[in-house]
Amino acid sequence: MKVLVAMSKYICLDSSVFVKLFIEEDDSNKAKVLFQKIIEDNQMIVLPAFAWAEIGSIIRKKIRRGELGPREADEIWSAFRQFPGIIYLEEEAVADRAWKISRYFNLPTLYDAAFLAVSEEIKWRTGETCELWTTDERLVQNLKGKKEYVNSLKDIG
């Protein structure tokens, strides 16, 4: 169980964590606890530039599976797009860093590496740790002891 203590004014959340705030799933309650802490600590959420498309794709997939109706999906999309305090990073430095991270850790896609790169880019720019929160347990286990800023949503008590 992890005690939530803001280490920085920045935090990075992978798309699966964000979706749990808007769509009731396993560990949605933990996502809500994390978001409440983000609001209380006035943290800025930093995401790779494509994150809005990835979150939208998750919502679209839930429509195709019959898990969401079109009206509910529109409301979720609107709520996400209006969510305050999000900064999207699109710089070449993020893309290059993501590529290097994916090669070094032999990650199968650049998606995960891009979230890691955003956290590292914020650290490089500000000197502050930018925690990354994910539901990807395989990623967490692969990086255990290698990337201390990576956290699992499951660890929230």
Side-chain angles (χ1 to χ4, degrees), residues 2-28:
K2 184 167 182 82
V3 177
L4 297 178
V5 178
M7 298 171 52
S8 167
K9 61 183 169 187
Y10 303 98
I11 191 165
C12 185
L13 308 170
D14 85 5
S15 299
S16 62
V17 173
F18 231 114
V19 166
K20 289 181 184 304
L21 179 64
F22 298 104
I23 300 171
E24 198 60 39
E25 299 179 334
D26 289 343
D27 292 332
S28 281

PDB file of all heavy atoms in Angstrom, residues 2-28:
ATOM      1  N   LYS A   2       0.578   2.176  -0.840  1.00  0.00           N
ATOM      2  CA  LYS A   2       1.382   3.379  -0.990  1.00  0.00           C
ATOM      3  C   LYS A   2       0.660   4.573  -0.376  1.00  0.00           C
ATOM      4  O   LYS A   2      -0.517   4.787  -0.616  1.00  0.00           O
ATOM      5  CB  LYS A   2       1.644   3.634  -2.472  1.00  0.00           C
ATOM      6  CG  LYS A   2       2.558   4.801  -2.726  1.00  0.00           C
ATOM      7  CD  LYS A   2       3.021   4.784  -4.156  1.00  0.00           C
ATOM      8  CE  LYS A   2       3.974   5.891  -4.445  1.00  0.00           C
ATOM      9  NZ  LYS A   2       5.320   5.643  -4.082  1.00  0.00           N
ATOM     10  N   VAL A   3       1.388   5.330   0.413  1.00  0.00           N
ATOM     11  CA  VAL A   3       0.861   6.575   0.960  1.00  0.00           C
ATOM     12  C   VAL A   3       1.055   7.645  -0.100  1.00  0.00           C
ATOM     13  O   VAL A   3       2.139   7.778  -0.670  1.00  0.00           O
ATOM     14  CB  VAL A   3       1.606   6.964   2.258  1.00  0.00           C
ATOM     15  CG1 VAL A   3       1.115   8.291   2.781  1.00  0.00           C
ATOM     16  CG2 VAL A   3       1.436   5.870   3.305  1.00  0.00           C
ATOM     17  N   LEU A   4       0.004   8.381  -0.394  1.00  0.00           N
ATOM     18  CA  LEU A   4       0.068   9.400  -1.443  1.00  0.00           C
ATOM     19  C   LEU A   4       0.610  10.708  -0.881  1.00  0.00           C
ATOM     20  O   LEU A   4      -0.046  11.377  -0.097  1.00  0.00           O
ATOM     21  CB  LEU A   4      -1.319   9.627  -2.044  1.00  0.00           C
ATOM     22  CG  LEU A   4      -1.932   8.437  -2.754  1.00  0.00           C
ATOM     23  CD1 LEU A   4      -3.319   8.788  -3.267  1.00  0.00           C
ATOM     24  CD2 LEU A   4      -1.059   7.974  -3.885  1.00  0.00           C
ATOM     25  N   VAL A   5       1.811  11.028  -1.294  1.00  0.00           N
ATOM     26  CA  VAL A   5       2.452  12.270  -0.897  1.00  0.00           C
ATOM     27  C   VAL A   5       2.954  12.942  -2.164  1.00  0.00           C
ATOM     28  O   VAL A   5       3.729  12.340  -2.914  1.00  0.00           O
ATOM     29  CB  VAL A   5       3.645  12.008   0.056  1.00  0.00           C
ATOM     30  CG1 VAL A   5       4.340  13.310   0.418  1.00  0.00           C
ATOM     31  CG2 VAL A   5       3.200  11.273   1.302  1.00  0.00           C
ATOM     32  N   ALA A   6       2.489  14.148  -2.414  1.00  0.00           N
ATOM     33  CA  ALA A   6       2.920  14.853  -3.622  1.00  0.00           C
ATOM     34  C   ALA A   6       4.405  15.164  -3.511  1.00  0.00           C
ATOM     35  O   ALA A   6       4.845  15.792  -2.561  1.00  0.00           O
ATOM     36  CB  ALA A   6       2.127  16.136  -3.811  1.00  0.00           C
ATOM     37  N   MET A   7       5.175  14.680  -4.482  1.00  0.00           N
ATOM     38  CA  MET A   7       6.614  14.926  -4.504  1.00  0.00           C
ATOM     39  C   MET A   7       6.949  16.067  -5.455  1.00  0.00           C
ATOM     40  O   MET A   7       8.073  16.517  -5.489  1.00  0.00           O
ATOM     41  CB  MET A   7       7.333  13.653  -4.946  1.00  0.00           C
ATOM     42  CG  MET A   7       7.126  12.490  -4.007  1.00  0.00           C
ATOM     43  SD  MET A   7       7.753  10.906  -4.628  1.00  0.00           S
ATOM     44  CE  MET A   7       9.418  11.288  -5.090  1.00  0.00           C
ATOM     45  N   SER A   8       5.969  16.494  -6.221  1.00  0.00           N
ATOM     46  CA  SER A   8       6.209  17.455  -7.283  1.00  0.00           C
ATOM     47  C   SER A   8       4.901  18.164  -7.611  1.00  0.00           C
ATOM     48  O   SER A   8       3.833  17.701  -7.232  1.00  0.00           O
ATOM     49  CB  SER A   8       6.717  16.693  -8.507  1.00  0.00           C
ATOM     50  OG  SER A   8       6.706  17.493  -9.657  1.00  0.00           O
ATOM     51  N   LYS A   9       5.004  19.232  -8.352  1.00  0.00           N
ATOM     52  CA  LYS A   9       3.772  19.862  -8.821  1.00  0.00           C
ATOM     53  C   LYS A   9       3.307  19.241 -10.131  1.00  0.00           C
ATOM     54  O   LYS A   9       2.318  19.647 -10.702  1.00  0.00           O
ATOM     55  CB  LYS A   9       3.939  21.374  -8.949  1.00  0.00           C
ATOM     56  CG  LYS A   9       4.976  21.832  -9.912  1.00  0.00           C
ATOM     57  CD  LYS A   9       5.064  23.354  -9.866  1.00  0.00           C
ATOM     58  CE  LYS A   9       6.293  23.810 -10.633  1.00  0.00           C
ATOM     59  NZ  LYS A   9       6.519  25.220 -10.483  1.00  0.00           N
ATOM     60  N   TYR A  10       4.023  18.201 -10.615  1.00  0.00           N
ATOM     61  CA  TYR A  10       3.673  17.506 -11.847  1.00  0.00           C
ATOM     62  C   TYR A  10       3.422  16.028 -11.583  1.00  0.00           C
ATOM     63  O   TYR A  10       4.058  15.432 -10.722  1.00  0.00           O
ATOM     64  CB  TYR A  10       4.808  17.630 -12.870  1.00  0.00           C
ATOM     65  CG  TYR A  10       5.170  19.049 -13.185  1.00  0.00           C
ATOM     66  CD1 TYR A  10       6.247  19.665 -12.562  1.00  0.00           C
ATOM     67  CD2 TYR A  10       4.427  19.787 -14.101  1.00  0.00           C
ATOM     68  CE1 TYR A  10       6.581  20.977 -12.843  1.00  0.00           C
ATOM     69  CE2 TYR A  10       4.749  21.101 -14.385  1.00  0.00           C
ATOM     70  CZ  TYR A  10       5.830  21.691 -13.751  1.00  0.00           C
ATOM     71  OH  TYR A  10       6.151  22.993 -14.034  1.00  0.00           O
ATOM     72  N   ILE A  11       2.523  15.452 -12.367  1.00  0.00           N
ATOM     73  CA  ILE A  11       2.241  14.024 -12.287  1.00  0.00           C
ATOM     74  C   ILE A  11       1.833  13.558 -13.679  1.00  0.00           C
ATOM     75  O   ILE A  11       1.200  14.303 -14.429  1.00  0.00           O
ATOM     76  CB  ILE A  11       1.150  13.728 -11.235  1.00  0.00           C
ATOM     77  CG1 ILE A  11       1.047  12.239 -10.954  1.00  0.00           C
ATOM     78  CG2 ILE A  11      -0.184  14.349 -11.611  1.00  0.00           C
ATOM     79  CD1 ILE A  11       0.261  11.916  -9.675  1.00  0.00           C
ATOM     80  N   CYS A  12       2.226  12.348 -14.022  1.00  0.00           N
ATOM     81  CA  CYS A  12       1.883  11.772 -15.325  1.00  0.00           C
ATOM     82  C   CYS A  12       1.009  10.541 -15.071  1.00  0.00           C
ATOM     83  O   CYS A  12       1.330   9.725 -14.202  1.00  0.00           O
ATOM     84  CB  CYS A  12       3.157  11.386 -16.079  1.00  0.00           C
ATOM     85  SG  CYS A  12       2.869  10.795 -17.759  1.00  0.00           S
ATOM     86  N   LEU A  13      -0.080  10.444 -15.803  1.00  0.00           N
ATOM     87  CA  LEU A  13      -1.020   9.336 -15.645  1.00  0.00           C
ATOM     88  C   LEU A  13      -1.194   8.643 -16.982  1.00  0.00           C
ATOM     89  O   LEU A  13      -1.481   9.305 -17.977  1.00  0.00           O
ATOM     90  CB  LEU A  13      -2.380   9.863 -15.182  1.00  0.00           C
ATOM     91  CG  LEU A  13      -2.363  10.771 -13.968  1.00  0.00           C
ATOM     92  CD1 LEU A  13      -3.720  11.418 -13.777  1.00  0.00           C
ATOM     93  CD2 LEU A  13      -1.949  10.005 -12.737  1.00  0.00           C
ATOM     94  N   ASP A  14      -1.029   7.331 -16.989  1.00  0.00           N
ATOM     95  CA  ASP A  14      -1.268   6.682 -18.271  1.00  0.00           C
ATOM     96  C   ASP A  14      -2.762   6.641 -18.541  1.00  0.00           C
ATOM     97  O   ASP A  14      -3.593   6.886 -17.659  1.00  0.00           O
ATOM     98  CB  ASP A  14      -0.547   5.340 -18.395  1.00  0.00           C
ATOM     99  CG  ASP A  14      -1.272   4.149 -17.834  1.00  0.00           C
ATOM    100  OD1 ASP A  14      -2.419   4.261 -17.390  1.00  0.00           O
ATOM    101  OD2 ASP A  14      -0.669   3.059 -17.858  1.00  0.00           O
ATOM    102  N   SER A  15      -3.117   6.386 -19.768  1.00  0.00           N
ATOM    103  CA  SER A  15      -4.509   6.482 -20.209  1.00  0.00           C
ATOM    104  C   SER A  15      -5.439   5.571 -19.419  1.00  0.00           C
ATOM    105  O   SER A  15      -6.578   5.928 -19.141  1.00  0.00           O
ATOM    106  CB  SER A  15      -4.601   6.166 -21.702  1.00  0.00           C
ATOM    107  OG  SER A  15      -3.835   7.104 -22.420  1.00  0.00           O
ATOM    108  N   SER A  16      -4.957   4.401 -19.045  1.00  0.00           N
ATOM    109  CA  SER A  16      -5.803   3.459 -18.307  1.00  0.00           C
ATOM    110  C   SER A  16      -6.211   4.005 -16.942  1.00  0.00           C
ATOM    111  O   SER A  16      -7.302   3.719 -16.460  1.00  0.00           O
ATOM    112  CB  SER A  16      -5.091   2.117 -18.147  1.00  0.00           C
ATOM    113  OG  SER A  16      -3.893   2.270 -17.400  1.00  0.00           O
ATOM    114  N   VAL A  17      -5.351   4.794 -16.322  1.00  0.00           N
ATOM    115  CA  VAL A  17      -5.689   5.415 -15.035  1.00  0.00           C
ATOM    116  C   VAL A  17      -6.746   6.491 -15.260  1.00  0.00           C
ATOM    117  O   VAL A  17      -7.731   6.582 -14.530  1.00  0.00           O
ATOM    118  CB  VAL A  17      -4.433   6.008 -14.352  1.00  0.00           C
ATOM    119  CG1 VAL A  17      -4.806   6.805 -13.117  1.00  0.00           C
ATOM    120  CG2 VAL A  17      -3.438   4.897 -13.999  1.00  0.00           C
ATOM    121  N   PHE A  18      -6.548   7.300 -16.290  1.00  0.00           N
ATOM    122  CA  PHE A  18      -7.492   8.379 -16.583  1.00  0.00           C
ATOM    123  C   PHE A  18      -8.887   7.837 -16.861  1.00  0.00           C
ATOM    124  O   PHE A  18      -9.886   8.352 -16.365  1.00  0.00           O
ATOM    125  CB  PHE A  18      -7.004   9.202 -17.777  1.00  0.00           C
ATOM    126  CG  PHE A  18      -6.979  10.670 -17.508  1.00  0.00           C
ATOM    127  CD1 PHE A  18      -5.785  11.344 -17.463  1.00  0.00           C
ATOM    128  CD2 PHE A  18      -8.146  11.368 -17.280  1.00  0.00           C
ATOM    129  CE1 PHE A  18      -5.753  12.696 -17.202  1.00  0.00           C
ATOM    130  CE2 PHE A  18      -8.130  12.720 -17.017  1.00  0.00           C
ATOM    131  CZ  PHE A  18      -6.922  13.385 -16.978  1.00  0.00           C
ATOM    132  N   VAL A  19      -8.974   6.781 -17.645  1.00  0.00           N
ATOM    133  CA  VAL A  19     -10.269   6.203 -18.015  1.00  0.00           C
ATOM    134  C   VAL A  19     -11.038   5.737 -16.778  1.00  0.00           C
ATOM    135  O   VAL A  19     -12.252   5.885 -16.700  1.00  0.00           O
ATOM    136  CB  VAL A  19     -10.068   5.054 -19.032  1.00  0.00           C
ATOM    137  CG1 VAL A  19     -11.319   4.212 -19.178  1.00  0.00           C
ATOM    138  CG2 VAL A  19      -9.657   5.635 -20.378  1.00  0.00           C
ATOM    139  N   LYS A  20     -10.330   5.209 -15.796  1.00  0.00           N
ATOM    140  CA  LYS A  20     -10.984   4.698 -14.583  1.00  0.00           C
ATOM    141  C   LYS A  20     -11.679   5.802 -13.783  1.00  0.00           C
ATOM    142  O   LYS A  20     -12.560   5.534 -12.986  1.00  0.00           O
ATOM    143  CB  LYS A  20      -9.980   3.958 -13.701  1.00  0.00           C
ATOM    144  CG  LYS A  20      -9.568   2.634 -14.300  1.00  0.00           C
ATOM    145  CD  LYS A  20      -8.612   1.899 -13.414  1.00  0.00           C
ATOM    146  CE  LYS A  20      -8.136   0.629 -14.045  1.00  0.00           C
ATOM    147  NZ  LYS A  20      -9.186  -0.301 -14.444  1.00  0.00           N
ATOM    148  N   LEU A  21     -11.284   7.032 -14.003  1.00  0.00           N
ATOM    149  CA  LEU A  21     -11.966   8.144 -13.336  1.00  0.00           C
ATOM    150  C   LEU A  21     -13.356   8.349 -13.929  1.00  0.00           C
ATOM    151  O   LEU A  21     -14.306   8.675 -13.221  1.00  0.00           O
ATOM    152  CB  LEU A  21     -11.149   9.431 -13.481  1.00  0.00           C
ATOM    153  CG  LEU A  21     -11.757  10.669 -12.839  1.00  0.00           C
ATOM    154  CD1 LEU A  21     -11.857  10.520 -11.326  1.00  0.00           C
ATOM    155  CD2 LEU A  21     -10.945  11.897 -13.199  1.00  0.00           C
ATOM    156  N   PHE A  22     -13.494   8.117 -15.219  1.00  0.00           N
ATOM    157  CA  PHE A  22     -14.738   8.415 -15.927  1.00  0.00           C
ATOM    158  C   PHE A  22     -15.630   7.202 -16.172  1.00  0.00           C
ATOM    159  O   PHE A  22     -16.816   7.348 -16.407  1.00  0.00           O
ATOM    160  CB  PHE A  22     -14.418   9.070 -17.279  1.00  0.00           C
ATOM    161  CG  PHE A  22     -13.705  10.383 -17.135  1.00  0.00           C
ATOM    162  CD1 PHE A  22     -12.355  10.487 -17.385  1.00  0.00           C
ATOM    163  CD2 PHE A  22     -14.390  11.509 -16.726  1.00  0.00           C
ATOM    164  CE1 PHE A  22     -11.695  11.691 -17.246  1.00  0.00           C
ATOM    165  CE2 PHE A  22     -13.747  12.726 -16.579  1.00  0.00           C
ATOM    166  CZ  PHE A  22     -12.394  12.821 -16.839  1.00  0.00           C
ATOM    167  N   ILE A  23     -15.034   6.011 -16.165  1.00  0.00           N
ATOM    168  CA  ILE A  23     -15.779   4.783 -16.427  1.00  0.00           C
ATOM    169  C   ILE A  23     -15.557   3.828 -15.263  1.00  0.00           C
ATOM    170  O   ILE A  23     -14.402   3.531 -14.925  1.00  0.00           O
ATOM    171  CB  ILE A  23     -15.320   4.131 -17.758  1.00  0.00           C
ATOM    172  CG1 ILE A  23     -15.546   5.101 -18.926  1.00  0.00           C
ATOM    173  CG2 ILE A  23     -16.046   2.810 -17.986  1.00  0.00           C
ATOM    174  CD1 ILE A  23     -14.926   4.644 -20.232  1.00  0.00           C
ATOM    175  N   GLU A  24     -16.627   3.349 -14.675  1.00  0.00           N
ATOM    176  CA  GLU A  24     -16.513   2.452 -13.526  1.00  0.00           C
ATOM    177  C   GLU A  24     -15.916   1.118 -13.956  1.00  0.00           C
ATOM    178  O   GLU A  24     -16.486   0.407 -14.781  1.00  0.00           O
ATOM    179  CB  GLU A  24     -17.890   2.245 -12.878  1.00  0.00           C
ATOM    180  CG  GLU A  24     -17.838   1.703 -11.482  1.00  0.00           C
ATOM    181  CD  GLU A  24     -17.085   2.588 -10.495  1.00  0.00           C
ATOM    182  OE1 GLU A  24     -17.197   3.829 -10.558  1.00  0.00           O
ATOM    183  OE2 GLU A  24     -16.362   2.026  -9.648  1.00  0.00           O
ATOM    184  N   GLU A  25     -14.732   0.822 -13.415  1.00  0.00           N
ATOM    185  CA  GLU A  25     -14.001  -0.407 -13.698  1.00  0.00           C
ATOM    186  C   GLU A  25     -13.336  -0.860 -12.396  1.00  0.00           C
ATOM    187  O   GLU A  25     -13.423  -0.160 -11.388  1.00  0.00           O
ATOM    188  CB  GLU A  25     -12.892  -0.165 -14.741  1.00  0.00           C
ATOM    189  CG  GLU A  25     -13.356   0.314 -16.079  1.00  0.00           C
ATOM    190  CD  GLU A  25     -12.203   0.558 -17.048  1.00  0.00           C
ATOM    191  OE1 GLU A  25     -11.063   0.833 -16.618  1.00  0.00           O
ATOM    192  OE2 GLU A  25     -12.459   0.471 -18.241  1.00  0.00           O
ATOM    193  N   ASP A  26     -12.639  -2.004 -12.461  1.00  0.00           N
ATOM    194  CA  ASP A  26     -11.827  -2.399 -11.313  1.00  0.00           C
ATOM    195  C   ASP A  26     -10.860  -1.262 -10.994  1.00  0.00           C
ATOM    196  O   ASP A  26     -10.277  -0.664 -11.896  1.00  0.00           O
ATOM    197  CB  ASP A  26     -11.016  -3.667 -11.614  1.00  0.00           C
ATOM    198  CG  ASP A  26     -11.885  -4.910 -11.707  1.00  0.00           C
ATOM    199  OD1 ASP A  26     -13.041  -4.871 -11.237  1.00  0.00           O
ATOM    200  OD2 ASP A  26     -11.398  -5.922 -12.243  1.00  0.00           O
ATOM    201  N   ASP A  27     -10.707  -0.985  -9.729  1.00  0.00           N
ATOM    202  CA  ASP A  27      -9.795   0.037  -9.220  1.00  0.00           C
ATOM    203  C   ASP A  27     -10.197   1.476  -9.569  1.00  0.00           C
ATOM    204  O   ASP A  27      -9.398   2.393  -9.396  1.00  0.00           O
ATOM    205  CB  ASP A  27      -8.348  -0.224  -9.658  1.00  0.00           C
ATOM    206  CG  ASP A  27      -7.770  -1.469  -9.000  1.00  0.00           C
ATOM    207  OD1 ASP A  27      -8.210  -1.820  -7.883  1.00  0.00           O
ATOM    208  OD2 ASP A  27      -6.874  -2.095  -9.598  1.00  0.00           O
ATOM    209  N   SER A  28     -11.428   1.690 -10.021  1.00  0.00           N
ATOM    210  CA  SER A  28     -11.886   3.069 -10.243  1.00  0.00           C
ATOM    211  C   SER A  28     -11.855   3.856  -8.939  1.00  0.00           C
ATOM    212  O   SER A  28     -11.538   5.048  -8.943  1.00  0.00           O
ATOM    213  CB  SER A  28     -13.294   3.094 -10.832  1.00  0.00           C
ATOM    214  OG  SER A  28     -13.259   2.823 -12.215  1.00  0.00           O
TER     215      SER A  28
END
